Amino acid sequence: QGFRDAIDFDGLESEFPQSIPFASDGVNTSSFLNARFLPANFFVERRSGGILSRGMVLKSDQFPTGVSKLDFYVSGCPNFRGIQQTPIYGVGQPTVSGYRTVLNLLNCKKTGTNELLVHQTFWLNLREEPVVYVNNKPYVLRELECPFRNMVDFDGIDANRLIMIEQRLKEDILKEASVNGGNILVHEEVELGTVRPCWMSVNSAVVQTSSEVFEALRKEGYVVVNFRVPVTAESTFSSSEFDALVEIYIEGIRKDPQTQFIFNCQMGRGRSTMGMLAVFLLRQAVTRAMQHATSLSGFSLDGPSQEEEAFAALEAAAAAQG
């Protein structure tokens, strides 16, 4: 089932036939590709995918202008910024090229000569909606009537379910393209606040889920681990979401104390900033806990290590917060 009930268009076939034998220029073409006979909105209302269903559109997730003034810009990575003297960063939803650019800036790719200098990077996606990549650009699911509004259908969704929906959305895109001559209808934000339909050529090689983008990056040699922690836009972290961040942070610094953390949300403002601040405070807590463990353990060789005591103190503090 899609987000809306199916609609019967049988009565409209005489007005909008399935195919137009010849256009005025003599070229045989499908009515789907001829805007003179089939407006884009009508095409959207005929959609029947499980996720890309009736009345739903694929809206570009890149914006014509940024939302803040920065000292420097990273192409394809809106509002990329970091906390000084820490390995903590935030960004809006990147393009595939944008991922590479940021990871290159942070020296996250093994080249054979820099093995000891590369530290792992944990990338945390805080989006609470499916994101698919088409021709290296991110697209999100939106209602045709409300293209700038996040869909409430995904409020409170868990990460595993969201990953499954992204995979199903990819399948819907490829299925729709297969019956439309290899094209898919997307909606581009050509200027801030204005969305227009646009036909785009696609195939299985250029449509990727968020997880598949990271799989490809790892195959290219990038030392990056991706996580999905869905957080509702314009809200604070719930106790379960904060617990997830604590677990991810502890996992990261246990493997590599110099692990880099990158948070992304939609525009690189609210949720990513909250994630940055949360990890910054966790980092401060670990430092204090380790200092405390050092002062208590002294030169004793018995009992848990200072690092284990520090992590235990941090986990206890996180539990108390919950």
Side-chain angles (χ1 to χ4, degrees), residues 14-32:
S14 59
E15 183 177 359
F16 294 100
Q18 286 290 339
S19 62
I20 304 297
F22 290 94
S24 59
D25 56 7
V27 178
N28 194 353
T29 180
S30 165
S31 63
F32 282 174

Side-chain angles (χ1 to χ4, degrees), residues 28-64:
N28 194 353
T29 180
S30 165
S31 63
F32 282 174
L33 304 180
N34 197 322
R36 290 172 294 175
F37 294 100
L38 186 58
N41 288 3
F42 184 83
F43 176 84
V44 170
E45 290 299 330
R46 290 180 65 98
R47 280 179 161 154
S48 59
I51 303 299
L52 189 59
S53 57
R54 175 177 174 260
M56 308 306 297
V57 301
L58 281 175
K59 177 186 171 296
S60 172
D61 209 34
Q62 289 283 295
F63 308 98

Side-chain angles (χ1 to χ4, degrees), residues 11 35 38 92-94 110 127 147-148 166 172 181 183-184 206 208 212 225 243 250 265 298 313:
L38 186 58
Q93 191 68 45
K110 290 184 177 181
R127 301 292 296 276
F148 301 105
E166 286 188 355
D172 284 352
N183 287 345
I184 186 76
V206 300
Q208 298 172 287
E212 289 171 342
V225 183
D243 288 345
I250 292 175
C265 57

Side-chain angles (χ1 to χ4, degrees), residues 12-13 17 26 30 47 95 97 118 136 166 239 251 253 286:
L12 299 176
E13 292 302 318
S30 165
R47 280 179 161 154
T95 62
S97 175
V118 175
N136 296 321
E166 286 188 355
S239 58
E251 177 186 344
I253 59 176
V286 166

Side-chain angles (χ1 to χ4, degrees), residues 86 88 118 135 157 201 224 264 268:
T86 74
I88 304 170
V118 175
N135 288 317
I157 193 171
S201 171
V224 58
N264 91 258

